[in-house]
Amino acid sequence: MKSAVETLNPTRVRLTVEVPFEELKDSLDAAYQKINQQVTVKGFRKGKIPARVIDQRFGRGAVLEEAVNDALPKFYTEAVNEAELSPLGQPDVDITELKDGETLNFTAEVDVRPALEIPDYTGIEVEVDAVEVSDEDVEKSVEQLRERFASTSPVERAAEDGDVVTIDLEAKVDGEVLEDGIANGVSYTIGSGELLDGIDDAVKGKSAGEEATFASELKGGSAAGKEAEVTVKVTQVAARELPELDDEFAQLASEFDTLDELRADSRKRLANMKTYDQATQAQERVLEKLLELVEVPVPEKLLEDEINTRKHNLEHHQLGQMGLDLEKYLEIQGKTAEEFETETREAAVKGIKTQFVLDELVKKENLNVNQEELTEHLMRRAASSGMSPDQFAQAVVEGGQVPLLVGEVARGKALAVVVEAATVKDTNGEIVDLDDEDEDETEAPEAAAEATDDAAEEKSEG
């Protein structure tokens, strides 16, 4: 077999392959054997029909077609390996010449990973938010904890903001009560915004036994997105009572004996959260700077496939679970269809560029993934998916997704190398030392994976 490579553009090549006919022998033998098992000829036992009889009865062309279909993937793979290419997706194959007993010639056009030049990235500088916890932040955190320990008691008065009302609901669309439009004994905190638009105004000022009717667009159920006439009846009004902020509350709501200790712990936890957010922000901004340094051509077909995959996942998975369609989603987001298309394309481009650049860095820095790192990443992915580690691991193995996880960890390590080399300052002008963040290297896959998306990973493996 002989092959040659022609570069059509930075992300696409054409392979020209010439195969001497004798190299088709194994595939021809397999073709005859396969046809032997599929057909019957009077006078011959099944599987024992001579090749000349098959040629006469079914045509040599059918045998050649079967043999070529069997042989093409093998010769294509050999040509790819010989040229040291990294193909993306499936090739467009064209048989240019097939002479029985002489030769098989074909071409294969395929998208490939572009050759990238990673420049010196040690001069990258980024600014991140300073880690500052104000007294106001601490009091807000304590107040949220206090809200969780609030109690309620029925009152004989009209409902006010902050009260907890027990209500019965009935929703009609076009004058007909919906099958799933009746709910009784619903507990609702006025002002929480957790139910229907307009319900706060409807129940405020109402006492137990009173009702009101209002119009609202349904957020879920069989008539999601439709305008409904909703009747709400208040059956009980209860006032919320917050516990006193004192040492007794601290003992009730935490493991601490005093309110001062509780506040100190809240300050520490808020500082830890902001430090984590700061590290994540550093990773994201360093990645943006890195992508600005590298010229990355993006294969158009890969980009279109990625855009379509992102749209499909949004429409059929994320929005479907919320009972929304794309039109309603865009209305809620305040975006036009054109803006959505632009944002989706930009996100897809960034995802593909991120993967290409970080994969190139993995090779350049000779980064490897050990079992401990892979296990830690698997545990985090399992937690975010809502599955147990064992269930998630089984799903990964059965789905052949282990290389995908290894790639995520490797790209995370590559990003961590760049972050470590960068100069990170906070908004106060202070140098931020991320070396103490032991989890940076293991958490970095999340920042990289968020930009790349699984679909791009799967296509690159093709």
Side-chain angles (χ1 to χ4, degrees):
M1 186 195 81
K2 293 195 303 182
S3 64
V5 181
E6 176 187 357
T7 300
L8 303 178
N9 62 48
T11 63
R12 193 166 180 84
V13 299
R14 179 189 293 123
L15 286 163
T16 301
V17 184
E18 298 179 11
V19 183
F21 205 81
E22 56 266 23
E23 293 188 32
L24 285 172
K25 182 180 184 305
D26 289 344
S27 293
L28 278 168
D29 291 344
Y32 279 115
Q33 186 174 2
K34 182 176 181 179
I35 294 173
N36 241 308
Q37 299 301 321
Q38 294 175 337
V39 301
T40 57
V41 176
K42 189 175 180 179
F44 297 97
R45 285 182 295 159
K46 194 173 185 67
K48 298 296 183 179
I49 308 169
R52 58 180 176 77
V53 175
I54 290 177
D55 288 347
Q56 291 169 357
R57 287 294 186 93
F58 306 102
R60 174 71 167 176
V63 179
L64 287 175
E65 182 179 358
E66 182 66 39
V68 169
N69 288 338
D70 175 73
L72 277 178
K74 179 184 69 172
F75 293 124
Y76 165 73
T77 301
E78 287 181 11
V80 165
N81 293 338
E82 188 177 285
E84 298 182 345
L85 299 175
S86 298
L88 300 165
Q90 297 302 313
D92 295 324
V93 177
D94 181 27
I95 298 174
T96 55
E97 186 175 25
L98 175 58
K99 289 186 177 179
D100 193 359
E102 295 183 29
T103 187
L104 164 65
N105 297 336
F106 68 91
T107 61
E109 289 189 16
V110 67
D111 288 333
V112 294
R113 282 177 176 264
L116 301 181
E117 189 66 40
I118 304 295
D120 180 16
Y121 49 79
T122 56
I124 289 179
E125 294 186 10
V126 298
E127 184 181 75
V128 295
D129 295 336
V131 175
E132 296 174 338
V133 180
S134 66
D135 291 343
E136 184 181 348
D137 293 331
V138 174
E139 290 309 312
K140 183 179 179 181
S141 175
V142 172
E143 192 62 29
Q144 288 172 343
L145 183 61
R146 189 182 177 204
E147 290 277 349
R148 287 167 49 192
F149 283 85
S151 60
T152 60
S153 58
V155 292
E156 298 294 330
R157 60 166 172 78
E160 302 173 355
D161 270 328
D163 284 345
V164 178
V165 290
T166 304
I167 54 178
D168 295 337
L169 294 165
E170 181 183 85
K172 294 180 180 179
V173 173
D174 297 330
E176 296 290 330
V177 178
L178 300 171
E179 287 187 12
D180 55 355
I182 297 176
N184 295 322
V186 177
S187 180
Y188 175 67
T189 302
I190 300 176
S192 66
E194 294 174 351
L195 275 178
L196 299 167
D197 293 337
I199 194 169
D200 288 338
D201 291 336
V203 297
K204 273 193 294 188
K206 297 292 184 294
S207 300
E210 296 182 326
E211 63 181 47
T213 300
F214 63 101
S216 183
E217 187 176 293
L218 299 178
K219 296 180 180 179
S222 61
K226 292 185 178 180
E227 190 80 7
E229 180 184 86
V230 182
T231 299
V232 55
K233 180 179 180 180
V234 177
T235 60
Q236 180 181 309
V237 179
R240 299 179 75 248
E241 298 176 1
L242 297 175
E244 290 294 326
L245 273 181
D246 52 23
D247 292 347
E248 187 176 336
F249 167 69
Q251 294 164 20
L252 170 69
S254 71
E255 70 270 32
F256 301 105
D257 294 326
T258 68
L259 185 60
D260 286 343
E261 290 174 331
L262 174 60
R263 285 190 171 115
D265 181 68
S266 295
R267 186 179 296 275
K268 180 180 178 181
R269 284 188 296 102
L270 289 170
N272 288 339
M273 288 169 56
K274 291 196 174 190
T275 300
Y276 176 84
D277 291 342
Q278 185 188 64
T280 302
Q281 193 177 62
Q283 292 169 358
E284 292 170 349
R285 293 184 178 179
V286 167
L287 176 60
E288 289 174 3
K289 290 279 188 178
L290 177 64
L291 294 181
E292 291 174 5
L293 293 177
V294 188
E295 185 67 32
V296 186
V298 176
E300 192 58 35
K301 186 176 185 304
L302 179 65
L303 175 58
E304 292 306 317
D305 288 347
E306 175 69 359
I307 290 171
N308 291 333
T309 298
R310 286 173 182 257
K311 288 180 180 177
H312 178 85
N313 289 340
L314 175 66
E315 291 188 62
H316 294 87
H317 298 294
Q318 295 163 275
L319 296 184
Q321 293 176 355
M322 295 187 286
L324 298 174
D325 58 18
L326 183 59
E327 184 179 352
K328 183 60 181 176
Y329 168 75
L330 294 180
E331 181 183 329
I332 294 172
Q333 294 291 314
K335 296 177 184 175
T336 65
E338 292 74 18
E339 289 171 335
F340 171 72
E341 289 287 338
T342 299
E343 288 180 7
T344 303
R345 176 171 285 269
E346 288 175 351
V349 167
K350 182 181 179 182
I352 293 170
K353 285 185 174 182
T354 296
Q355 182 178 322
F356 285 172
V357 170
L358 293 182
D359 283 349
E360 190 66 29
L361 264 170
V362 169
K363 290 193 294 184
K364 180 178 179 180
E365 302 292 345
N366 294 315
L367 301 176
N368 296 305
V369 176
N370 61 41
Q371 186 61 48
E372 182 180 357
E373 292 166 337
L374 182 59
T375 300
E376 288 177 0
H377 184 54
L378 186 147
M379 298 281 280
R380 281 193 301 277
R381 287 290 300 271
S384 64
S385 70
M387 301 170 67
S388 72
D390 287 345
Q391 288 175 324
F392 187 79
Q394 183 177 352
V396 166
V397 172
E398 291 178 354
Q401 302 297 298
V402 174
L404 184 150
L405 288 188
V406 172
E408 288 179 357
V409 178
R411 282 190 285 278
K413 295 181 72 171
L415 178 56
V417 168
V418 183
V419 172
E420 185 178 353
T423 300
V424 181
K425 293 183 180 180
D426 66 20
T427 48
N428 294 327
E430 299 291 330
I431 295 290
V432 177
D433 184 6
L434 297 173
D435 289 342
D436 293 336
E437 298 297 313
D438 293 336
E439 70 273 15
D440 279 355
E441 188 169 297
T442 54
E443 292 293 347
E446 319 309 332
E450 186 175 338
T452 56
D453 192 87
D454 290 349
E457 173 69 26
E458 289 166 6
K459 291 178 181 65
S460 71
E461 296 296 330

